Amino acid sequence: MKGVLLAWSGKARTAALAYRERFKRERGLVLFEAAATLLLALSFFAFLRDWWHVYSPALTDPNLQTDDARTALFAFHRYASGHPLAHDPIANEMIEYQPYAFRFLYRLAVPLVGLLYAAKIAQAVCLALIVAGGVVLWRSPRAGLGAGALFVFVFLRDGFIMDRVGGGLPRSFGFPAMALWLAGALGHDRRARRAGAIAAALTYPSALAMVLGAEGLYALRRLGRPGFRTTLRRLKHYLALSGVCAALFLPTALFGASDGGPVHTLEQAEQEPAFGKSGRLWLLPLGETGVNFGKHLFRSFIAVGNSPVPPVQDAIYHRSNEAAGVFIALLLVLPLFGVVPTPAAVIAFLAASLTIYAASVVFAFQLYSPERYYSYGMHMVAVGLVVSTLGLLIPRLKLRLRVPLRNAASAAIIFALWSWLGNGAPTNSAMAMTIDYRRNAPLWEFIRSLPKDVRIASFISDGDDIPLFAQRANNGGFETMQPWLTLSWARQKARAEDTLRAFYATSHEEVLDYAKKYGVTHLLVNQVRYRSDFVRRARTFQPLSTFSDQLLGGRRLSDLVLAEPPEEAVIYRQGRFSLLDVKKLAEAWSKPAPARNPGSAEDPVAP
């Protein structure tokens, strides 16, 4: 240890002497460099302070979670003490969608801190990967500190990117993995590019497709120059990287969702209302390619969030599309004048996104949602354009002049973009944190006090929070209805239809038979569903909305047996929710019912 300290002190002394000698020779340049670095630090950390102020609840508060945690994360409660949900078939079905390395991350974290905190840790890992990309550029002789700071700033400022990073989901790793690759490409760092590809292979297949596509095209840059041997060496390394990524992704590809059946083809999806505008997933029709790609490129430069100079943001706001168009044009023109390097990495990524998107349409939906390739792809292109042009200015200038000029320019660009575009954070639900444990905390705490083998059924969109916040199984809901695979979708749809029949049943037997069929022990009844407009309130998404309209046609509100459940069956009540014990419900219904007045003319009847 003493030897290490002596070595460090020797290096520090040598560096200090070298700096003093340089200061004597180039005092003006050294002072300018120090001033530029200070200015860069001030602008970057001023933005970071504002960004943290808005995003800190989403980053640190375990009570705030993104809605898709109710799809991708709730099953990981099984890794906690007592292994809740370990035998829940719906949790088992949802966990099969998750890559194995992603599961391993939660396997490590959940026993230590619980699932809700583990999601924050995964989210922090994603942000750390983006920062690591900035460090790659900082350490690169081709880029430098200014480019690294600008790189991190553009990622953090983009609200769309932060929404996708939020939550610690598999998709959260998409942008960070691509960020590592982009930083490696811009900084000419092969290790960073490979690390980005491997991170994508372990966590998010859609990002892997784009990264490998971009890496393959990037390997062919300046084809034959300086020689074909160089190109062949690059291709050899690319094939080796592709093999490693394929091996890492193979377990997910072979065993993921093994009993879910094949993916819907495009022809099958066009006949399935769940993929339409009013369906569970709005993917069809696919729309025009140019519009899809262009919209997301422009979206990267639309003002969102607070600005340090509100008058600047307000002045541009009403001409936001024109301002974005001019700025994008500037980014495209600068390389033509030799002021900045040709953005080969950005061109490769754009071409890869277009190619993979085309393949995802032709082979829909084998490559998952085509939307991922233009939404993720174009936001990455936007980041790449800003950093490869404004962050790599005057590449032919001598290093001792280029460094301070780039630092000063990056400081000015960060402040200008922040003033124009804001900090990227909406006033509410930053990082897409749309659900809050505290809204119904007493209910979740009561449900968690029930035995671990209970199963709670509810209306389609009323019980999604139960597995995530209360660690108990529900009988399916909106978030666990995923139309991608044919067999699992058929099961989910049949179960949802049975749920609607039970919650709008006109006989006691229908409810109790449903509970027996699915092993339901409790019913969570939302009294808001049983008002005069009960038919409208029963609608969710297609094809279930059509099913509920047909089911309720001609029924009176007084016919619905759960509209007024017996009090002796209610074991907990909070606000609009009543939790019914199925056994107590059966006992109450088995008793002779008091005489009931027939429905009056005012009793609502479904048309």
Side-chain angles (χ1 to χ4, degrees), residues 197-257:
I198 290 171
L202 291 171
T203 56
Y204 196 54
S206 298
L208 174 63
M210 287 184 280
V211 165
L212 282 184
E215 177 69 12
L217 295 172
Y218 189 66
L220 297 174
R221 67 191 184 280
R222 302 176 66 193
L223 184 62
R225 298 164 58 194
F228 282 102
R229 184 173 296 179
T230 300
T231 301
L232 290 175
R233 186 183 72 251
R234 290 173 181 167
L235 289 175
K236 181 181 72 174
H237 291 162
Y238 172 68
L239 292 175
L241 177 64
S242 299
V244 170
C245 290
L248 293 173
F249 176 63
L250 193 61
T252 301
L254 291 179
F255 305 114

Side-chain angles (χ1 to χ4, degrees), residues 4 11 52 106 156 200 215 228 237 269 344 347 360 375 483 523 526 543:
V4 172
K11 289 180 179 179
W52 174 262
Y106 280 88
L156 297 184
E215 177 69 12
F228 282 102
H237 291 162
I347 294 170
S360 73
S375 62
L523 301 175
N526 183 352

Side-chain angles (χ1 to χ4, degrees), residues 56 69 124 166 176 193 220 231 237 243 311 315 345-346 400 425 485 496 499 541-542 544 554 566 581 594:
S56 57
R193 298 204 316 268
L220 297 174
T231 301
H237 291 162
V346 181
R400 64 192 186 92
L485 305 178
T499 298
F541 57 86
Q542 296 296 1
L544 293 184
D581 185 305

